[in-house]
Amino acid sequence: METGISLPEDLSAQIDDILLELRRKAEAECVLLADISGQLVSAQGRLEDIDPVTVAALAAGDVAAMSELVRQIGEPNPHGSFLHEGENKSIYLFSVAGSFLLIVIFGADTPIGLMRLFVRRAAERLYPLTAEFEEVMGQPQDVPLGDFSATLADELDRVFGGL
Amino acid sequence: MFINWKLREINLKIVYYGPALSGKTTNLQYIHAKTNPNIRGELVSLKTRGDRTLYFDFLQLELGQIAGLKPRFNLYTVPGQSYYVGSRRLVLQGADGIVFVADSQRERFQANVEAVKDMAENLRSLGLNPESMPLVLQCNKQDLPNAVQPSVLQRRLGMTKVTCFPSVAIKGTGVFDTLKAIINLVVAQAQKKL
């Protein structure tokens, strides 16, 4: 992914809606969407017990490693889904068009079969949005960052000064 | 760089690259130890039993609102050992800027050269141009008696135009200067592009 990308508010709202619906239908604790580089795009649901940014970074690493592993054994479509079943909490990672991943965290009471079905349906609804997202990313954008750069430099000096 | 306008967040991915045992993880450990817990997350390390980085280390820093945006810096290290080349490429994916942590010891010169070459190859394989990637060179372990001058390393690594900091990461010398420099460089480059 190149630098200089932004997620417009309307696209962001549509993605949030899909994640919220998935969370409700799948009876999940929370649902996250990240890009393959580990950047968190959206997080919905109960987030008090987790750090969504760290979860997104680790999930992206996990999916990238697993995809490479699968490619090594000659599987033509390395982008799939990965499930870790825990005693109390489980996590399901689903690759969306090879560029994004859905992360679903759910408890022991959630029926896994149904959850997989709802995740697949949500991913189908996300495909066109993520494609639009990627198209937006590829275009030059007029991002009004204003004096962000200068102010950031001052803030970094203040926060990290003397450390 | 990823900006979420709804949340008004600006996310940067910065990767610490370099040969094995050059001090990449030490940089993140120092940053983690010295920053206010309110602005940083947990330091996540995927390492071997021998404390060597197996996949990556990850640390997020989050500053308060600046010009209406909340900046978040996601710092990663790569595993330095040569056989983890696949992992290094995966971590580089989506990087906005790179800190190359060189080991200044004379006998580690060749390892630095190979890591620079490996970095350029990995960037190209991801469709990224090594020439235009924001980069800061950190010449670490300057306290050791066999350390070569940063200017010599810079020249021998072909990085004379790259901002360079001498460092002793284990004591924190140069760690935050390097971090500030790469963040400012990434933001300046992104603004120039937009």
Side-chain angles (χ1 to χ4, degrees):
Chain A
M1 199 180 287
E2 274 289 352
T3 54
I5 57 154
S6 72
L7 180 62
E9 283 194 52
D10 56 336
L11 200 53
S12 180
Q14 289 180 68
I15 290 172
D16 291 352
D17 286 347
I18 294 173
L19 265 54
L20 277 168
E21 191 184 317
L22 170 61
R23 190 227 168 184
R24 186 175 50 79
K25 283 187 171 170
E27 299 174 25
E29 286 193 9
C30 58
V31 179
L32 281 63
L33 185 75
D35 80 352
I36 47 163
S37 74
Q39 302 273 26
L40 181 67
V41 176
S42 177
Q44 305 298 327
R46 255 189 40 219
L47 304 168
E48 298 82 21
D49 301 338
I50 63 159
D51 176 353
V53 176
T54 303
V55 169
L58 288 170
D62 196 13
V63 167
M66 187 54 86
S67 300
E68 187 59 26
L69 195 58
V70 168
R71 199 182 63 80
Q72 292 281 333
I73 62 167
E75 165 61 36
N77 176 20
H79 306 295
S81 60
F82 315 108
L83 172 69
H84 178 269
E85 283 184 82
E87 225 168 276
N88 301 309
K89 283 189 188 183
S90 298
I91 186 160
Y92 186 54
L93 309 176
F94 192 95
S95 171
V96 181
S99 304
F100 293 85
L101 61 139
L102 262 172
I103 303 157
V104 184
I105 297 170
F106 57 98
D109 298 335
T110 304
I112 290 176
L114 265 182
M115 194 267 307
R116 281 179 192 263
L117 176 72
F118 290 128
V119 167
R120 203 162 51 236
R121 284 186 186 160
E124 279 164 14
R125 290 178 61 203
L126 282 168
Y127 286 149
L129 297 181
T130 53
E132 196 182 328
F133 184 12
E134 285 196 292
E135 200 182 310
V136 170
M137 277 157 26
Q139 290 166 357
Q141 296 170 47
D142 181 21
V143 180
L145 283 180
D147 56 357
F148 178 80
S149 178
T151 317
L152 175 66
D154 293 343
E155 183 65 7
L156 290 174
D157 282 338
R158 193 188 66 78
V159 174
F160 299 146
L163 292 178
Chain B
M1 181 183 289
F2 169 60
I3 305 169
N4 188 329
W5 287 110
K6 193 171 168 229
L7 301 175
R8 305 205 63 80
E9 283 174 356
I10 182 161
N11 295 273
L12 303 182
K13 179 173 180 175
I14 292 162
V15 177
Y16 283 70
Y17 211 96
L21 294 170
S22 66
K24 303 173 288 298
T25 299
T26 309
N27 266 268
L28 260 59
Q29 284 169 336
Y30 189 83
I31 294 166
H32 180 259
K34 291 293 173 182
T35 42
N36 185 332
N38 295 333
I39 67 157
R40 56 128 169 99
E42 195 184 333
L43 175 60
V44 178
S45 289
L46 305 184
K47 57 191 178 189
T48 66
R49 281 186 190 171
D51 265 359
R52 304 290 296 275
T53 304
L54 171 66
Y55 196 172
F56 59 77
D57 306 297
F58 174 75
L59 175 66
Q60 58 156 317
L61 299 172
E62 201 177 285
L63 299 187
Q65 285 235 338
I66 293 174
L69 282 168
K70 197 162 66 177
R72 182 187 284 154
F73 312 114
N74 296 327
L75 312 182
Y76 290 75
T77 65
V78 296
Q81 287 165 287
S82 56
Y83 44 87
Y84 291 137
V85 60
S87 309
R88 282 194 290 280
R89 190 166 49 81
L90 297 176
V91 177
L92 270 183
Q93 205 153 244
D96 295 306
I98 298 175
V99 171
F100 187 90
V101 183
D103 189 330
S104 303
Q105 296 180 89
R106 196 171 298 279
E107 57 271 30
R108 295 294 290 156
F109 173 71
Q110 195 52 34
N112 291 320
V113 171
E114 279 162 20
V116 169
K117 202 171 145 225
D118 172 83
M119 178 175 77
E121 280 169 11
N122 280 327
L123 286 171
R124 279 191 210 98
S125 75
L126 291 166
L128 298 167
N129 182 1
E131 308 297 317
S132 58
M133 172 65 71
L135 176 70
V136 169
L137 171 65
Q138 185 187 74
C139 298
N140 196 24
K141 306 191 186 182
Q142 282 290 312
D143 57 331
L144 298 182
N146 50 349
V148 297
Q149 291 287 317
S151 57
V152 176
L153 257 179
Q154 230 179 333
R155 200 171 56 245
R156 307 267 310 259
L157 295 177
M159 293 191 185
T160 48
K161 289 180 184 159
V162 173
T163 307
C164 171
F165 293 95
S167 73
V168 184
I170 204 152
K171 292 181 184 159
T173 313
V175 168
F176 280 101
D177 289 335
T178 306
L179 179 62
K180 283 191 284 186
I182 189 64
I183 291 171
N184 287 327
L185 197 59
V186 168
V187 173
Q189 175 140 334
Q191 279 198 311
K192 208 161 57 185
K193 271 185 172 181
L194 297 170

